[in-house]
Amino acid sequence: MGLPGRGSLVFHPPRGGVEAGMWVSHNVKVRDCLASTSVTLKRCLKLGVTMAKSKFEYVRDFETDDTCLPHCWVVVRLDGRNFHRFSEKHSFAKPNDIRALHLMTKCAQTVMEELEDIVIAYGQSDEYSFVFKRKSNWFKRRASKFMTHVASQFASSYVFYWRDYFEDQPLLYPPGFDGRVVVYPNNQTLKDYLSWRQADCHINNLYNTVFWALVQQSGLTPAQAQERLQGTLAADKNEILYSEFNINYNNEPLLYRKGTVLIWQKVDEVTTKEVKLPAEMEGKKMAVTRTRTKPVPLHCDIIGDAFWKEHSEILDEDS
């Protein structure tokens, strides 16, 4: 047996007689002391648990369980709050302001880079939809967490990057965005949702293109232009654009007609780095290429199957 370390307490067994009786008595006292210490320790621990709570803890029982269903796509859609007024106050170009659209996309890219598990985003006009992967367990899939984190990140980015896109237009007041969370059970319903948003983009942009052509080029008032377009179909609007303004709607920029899709892609980024060799006094600037994955904007059709076949990894559950 090894020798006891310094400070160790060593008991030698009794040899008999009075010494044995003293040993038994001492052993009983040690056991009683340990038992008393154990009871005291348990009481202290119990008291500590009690002290950690207060009588007001019961209010947590009123919190709603907003856990999103498992194995479903979680979609967060943001819409600009009262952006009709906001666009007028900040002199947005009509029917489309390229600066505002690019700013919205920049904010959406920031959301995708800062938050986790977003596989694709789609935006048009003053709205953006963010799709979280089916297996995401981000914040235990709480809908309130999904919505508030996306909305706050997007809104703060809108203010932060405003001057990069509106150099000559000061931000007169902070913008607001409302949000909602919807879960979709399978790939087809998710594709149908995104198709719905892109179809909405086409319908709204066609109307706005004709409406503002009537106002800006024909001199109609907004009320007169609205009355002129009441009850018209897509073919009627296309005819007005072509016959009266020589505009072929199919030649309008894809950004306006299709909206913006953000997907993750590998991109080569070239940066300049100063390199100094041991034998040289001054460093040389050299171009360095690095590859990283980032959200890239596309302006294409997502209603047909071609996009989903080309980017099958988006719906891959293991991606």
Side-chain angles (χ1 to χ4, degrees):
M1 294 180 64
L3 297 174
R6 182 179 297 177
S8 300
L9 182 62
V10 180
F11 290 101
H12 296 284
R15 297 178 181 177
V18 175
E19 187 177 355
M22 292 177 63
W23 167 261
V24 172
S25 175
H26 179 73
N27 193 25
V28 171
K29 290 181 179 180
V30 169
R31 276 204 314 271
D32 291 344
C33 181
L34 291 175
S36 176
T37 302
S38 178
V39 171
T40 303
L41 180 60
K42 289 180 180 179
R43 288 177 178 175
C44 289
L45 291 175
K46 186 176 181 181
L47 180 61
V49 173
T50 304
M51 291 175 64
K53 294 184 178 181
S54 71
K55 65 178 181 179
F56 307 111
E57 285 285 317
Y58 77 94
V59 298
R60 298 187 63 181
D61 296 335
F62 291 91
E63 294 183 9
T64 303
D65 181 12
D66 60 349
T67 305
C68 294
L69 291 173
H71 307 296
C72 292
W73 298 104
V74 178
V75 177
V76 179
R77 186 167 89 242
L78 299 183
D79 288 278
R81 184 177 60 83
N82 199 8
F83 254 54
H84 178 75
R85 174 177 176 269
F86 184 87
S87 63
E88 288 185 348
K89 291 292 184 180
H90 293 87
S91 304
F92 281 18
K94 303 294 184 179
N96 293 288
D97 192 308
I98 191 69
R99 303 167 300 172
L101 294 174
H102 285 166
L103 174 57
M104 290 284 292
T105 295
K106 176 61 178 179
C107 297
Q109 289 174 309
T110 304
V111 169
M112 292 181 69
E113 290 174 340
E114 293 295 329
L115 307 184
E116 299 177 13
D117 294 347
I118 299 176
V119 295
I120 187 174
Y122 175 77
Q124 51 110 353
S125 186
D126 64 340
E127 73 167 57
Y128 245 100
S129 297
F130 300 90
V131 181
F132 288 81
K133 63 174 61 175
R134 296 181 67 171
K135 293 183 178 180
S136 175
N137 197 37
W138 195 55
F139 279 101
K140 298 181 179 179
R141 296 181 68 86
R142 292 181 59 185
S144 56
K145 293 293 186 179
F146 281 118
M147 184 172 61
T148 53
H149 275 274
V150 170
S152 61
Q153 185 70 52
F154 195 97
S156 61
S157 298
Y158 199 94
V159 175
F160 186 82
Y161 292 111
W162 173 266
R163 293 188 63 184
D164 293 347
Y165 298 89
F166 290 85
E167 297 177 358
D168 302 325
Q169 172 62 57
L171 185 62
L172 302 179
Y173 62 90
F177 295 88
D178 65 76
R180 71 200 68 190
V181 177
V182 186
V183 293
Y184 294 100
N186 53 53
N187 293 352
Q188 188 57 53
T189 52
L190 175 64
K191 290 164 63 177
D192 288 345
Y193 166 79
L194 294 172
S195 298
W196 169 49
R197 299 321 304 146
Q198 188 168 71
D200 188 70
C201 173
H202 163 70
I203 294 171
N204 291 337
N205 188 67
L206 177 58
Y207 181 91
N208 289 333
T209 303
V210 184
F211 178 88
W212 287 106
L214 291 171
V215 172
Q216 295 170 350
Q217 299 184 44
S218 291
L220 272 62
T221 64
Q224 291 171 334
Q226 185 176 5
E227 184 179 357
R228 171 79 186 278
L229 295 176
Q230 188 173 0
T232 58
L233 302 177
D236 302 323
K237 296 180 179 70
N238 277 292
E239 179 60 27
I240 294 174
L241 284 175
Y242 189 74
S243 62
E244 298 185 23
F245 306 103
N246 197 29
I247 297 176
N248 185 340
Y249 182 75
N250 291 327
N251 294 334
E252 290 293 290
L254 287 172
L255 168 61
Y256 303 156
R257 294 188 290 120
K258 300 294 184 180
T260 302
V261 185
L262 289 175
I263 62 173
W264 293 98
Q265 288 188 336
K266 291 183 178 180
V267 177
D268 291 335
E269 294 184 341
V270 180
T271 58
T272 303
K273 185 177 182 180
E274 186 174 338
V275 179
K276 183 181 293 186
L277 298 177
E280 297 178 349
M281 296 296 294
E282 297 183 359
K284 292 183 178 179
K285 292 184 177 180
M286 300 180 61
V288 179
T289 302
R290 295 179 178 176
T291 302
R292 77 182 187 96
T293 303
K294 60 187 298 184
V296 175
L298 304 176
H299 312 295
C300 59
D301 178 76
I302 58 174
I303 296 177
D305 293 330
F307 172 83
W308 300 104
K309 289 180 180 179
E310 183 179 355
H311 304 285
S312 58
E313 73 282 355
I314 295 174
L315 300 179
D316 185 1
E317 294 189 16
D318 296 324
S319 63

